[in-house]
Amino acid sequence: MSNQVDTLNVKSPVIWTPETIDKAVELKEQLGLNAEFISGGTLLQLQWASGRKLPEHLISLEGILEMKSIKYDQKNAELSIGAITPLGAYQTNKILKEFPVFCEALKSIAAPGIRNRGTIGGNLMSGIGDLIPFFLSLNANLVFCNAGNFEQINIWDWVKQSAAKERLLSKILIPLDKDTMETYTFYRKIGRRETFTAAILTVSGKIKWNQSNNIAEAKLAIGGGDNKPVRLEKTEQYLLGKKGAELDWKNIYSIITDEFIALDDAFVTGSYRKKVAANLIVAELQGQFIQSGYREEQVYEI
Ligand SMILES: Cc1cc2nc3c(=O)[nH]c(=O)nc-3n(C[C@H](O)[C@H](O)[C@H](O)COP(=O)(O)OP(=O)(O)OC[C@H]3O[C@@H](n4cnc5c(N)ncnc54)[C@H](O)[C@@H]3O)c2cc1C
């Protein structure tokens, strides 16, 4: 019970409002484990309401303008998104509006009021946010700041390192396609209701073909519920180098169900989650290949 709030004796945290990344990191170094970063506070408030202990200090990132910018670097074909960009930015930001699948992913989270306050960085740093599978499929890089140094790490490596929480996430870098290869990106979230509930499952993927129509790149990712987000590396490996007509859908279905270790929770079983994940991914890929002329037998199973 040591991390439960004693409601008769709750001491408000001291709130710090640095205006630069350096100052925020310096404060965290000074205050150590007694301090926590806060962006929109939507997840933290939910956790405090469920009994998680308040920290002694909160370092608000809200006033750090350099963490709010969204830029497209044409030369390096890279999209840079500041960590405190609100989830709702897809409605107004011209650059984000250019990427419909991005808008779809952001729109799938919570409800408008939460999306106005909650941030993209807060979603990632929660370790279970619905955007993690999406950024895994885009092969994003995360830029952290620690002791005055900026460190860039691939999101899959970060997830595998158990998503260390103490560092400040300053921005997310998304490689875009410089070449003319055809690509297809998808994002699907399954919840008990359309929004405003934790996802049962979130799947996302990006497939890229070369000029001979062989799959040249494949990134597939799953998250949702209490499941730690993962990339489906065995399924990706199976797809690589193949043409649409060579894909064995039943085989893809069983590779996904073997590879994805899904947990039971109070609402659905792990085995149901596996089947939904495999069906969604197979349906997405089939849809894409059907469009390009490879109509195949479907393998849906629940
Ligand atoms: C009603 C409701 C519905 C929700 N629905 C969804 C949903 O459908 N899908 C979903 O994924 N989430 C959902 N959430 C959770 C949450 O709103 C989102 O994940 C949101 O993006 C969190 O962002 P935030 O800025 O509010 O994070 P905060 O609450 O400010 O922080 C979350 C965590 O990240 C850390 N943190 C924040 N920013 C940084 C940073 N830049 N660097 C380092 N650490 C940082 C904080 O210390 C904290 O541990 C929901 C929440 C509510 C209240």
Side-chain angles (χ1 to χ4, degrees):
M1 295 293 283
S2 61
N3 66 347
Q4 295 289 302
V5 176
D6 172 358
T7 47
L8 294 175
N9 190 21
V10 179
K11 202 173 152 209
S12 297
V14 178
I15 300 180
W16 300 84
T17 54
E19 290 179 357
T20 62
I21 291 179
D22 284 347
K23 187 68 198 161
V25 172
E26 193 186 310
L27 279 165
K28 181 74 178 109
E29 277 164 20
Q30 281 166 12
L31 302 166
L33 293 175
N34 296 324
E36 214 168 334
F37 292 122
I38 181 167
S39 291
T42 58
L43 182 66
L44 283 172
Q45 274 178 351
L46 203 64
Q47 293 173 343
W48 296 330
S50 318
R52 185 178 160 197
K53 196 175 168 185
L54 282 158
E56 285 174 33
H57 300 267
L58 282 171
I59 305 170
S60 169
L61 304 174
E62 225 174 1
I64 307 180
L65 291 181
E66 58 188 304
M67 286 176 66
K68 269 187 195 151
S69 71
I70 301 178
K71 289 185 210 147
Y72 173 48
D73 174 352
Q74 202 161 10
K75 193 167 147 242
N76 293 313
E78 191 174 68
L79 180 63
S80 161
I81 300 179
I84 59 167
T85 300
L87 298 164
Y90 70 91
Q91 294 177 92
T92 48
N93 186 274
K94 277 188 193 158
I95 299 177
L96 290 183
K97 280 183 176 181
E98 298 281 315
F99 301 96
V101 67
F102 210 138
C103 299
E104 196 189 318
L106 293 170
K107 199 177 166 191
S108 80
I109 295 168
I114 303 285
R115 291 198 291 269
N116 286 341
R117 276 216 63 78
T119 64
I120 294 178
N123 192 280
L124 291 180
M125 293 308 289
S126 71
I128 50 162
D130 286 331
L131 291 180
I132 301 177
F134 180 61
F135 285 121
L136 280 170
S137 73
L138 295 182
N139 205 22
N141 290 306
L142 306 182
V143 179
F144 288 96
C145 186
N146 202 12
N149 296 317
F150 285 94
E151 185 201 347
Q152 191 170 312
I153 176 166
N154 181 270
I155 183 165
W156 183 214
D157 293 328
W158 175 73
V159 168
K160 285 190 284 190
Q161 287 170 14
S162 283
K165 279 191 169 181
E166 290 305 308
R167 289 180 297 172
L168 181 139
L169 174 68
S170 67
K171 60 185 169 187
I172 302 118
L173 301 175
I174 301 166
L176 298 175
D177 299 303
K178 280 190 217 159
D179 43 48
T180 51
M181 278 193 216
E182 200 182 330
T183 62
Y184 172 60
T185 308
F186 64 89
Y187 171 86
R188 293 284 173 267
K189 173 175 166 177
I190 305 288
R192 290 184 296 284
R193 278 177 282 150
E194 199 174 315
T195 54
F196 216 64
T197 54
I200 287 177
L201 197 78
T202 308
V203 299
S204 191
K206 183 171 176 188
I207 307 290
K208 203 164 166 179
W209 293 268
N210 63 19
Q211 280 159 347
S212 326
N213 266 335
N214 295 86
I215 296 175
E217 259 183 60
K219 298 272 184 296
L220 298 170
I222 305 187
D226 290 335
N227 292 266
K228 187 174 167 181
V230 283
R231 276 237 330 255
L232 298 178
E233 289 179 302
K234 286 188 187 146
T235 315
E236 293 170 0
Q237 208 54 44
Y238 170 82
L239 296 175
L240 284 179
K242 295 200 171 54
K243 291 192 179 1
E246 293 164 5
L247 296 175
D248 174 344
W249 299 109
K250 286 192 173 136
N251 197 16
I252 297 176
Y253 183 95
S254 53
I255 301 172
I256 297 170
T257 48
D258 282 351
E259 180 173 21
F260 175 36
I261 311 218
L263 302 177
D264 293 340
D265 67 18
F267 302 100
V268 292
T269 63
S271 119
Y272 174 79
R273 257 201 189 94
K274 272 174 186 271
K275 287 177 181 173
V276 175
N279 280 331
L280 278 174
I281 294 172
V282 167
E284 279 295 336
L285 296 177
Q286 282 188 330
Q288 190 53 26
F289 285 105
I290 287 165
Q291 272 177 26
S292 29
Y294 299 111
R295 189 171 290 277
E296 301 287 340
E297 180 198 352
Q298 300 201 328
V299 291
Y300 302 122
E301 183 196 311
I302 283 281

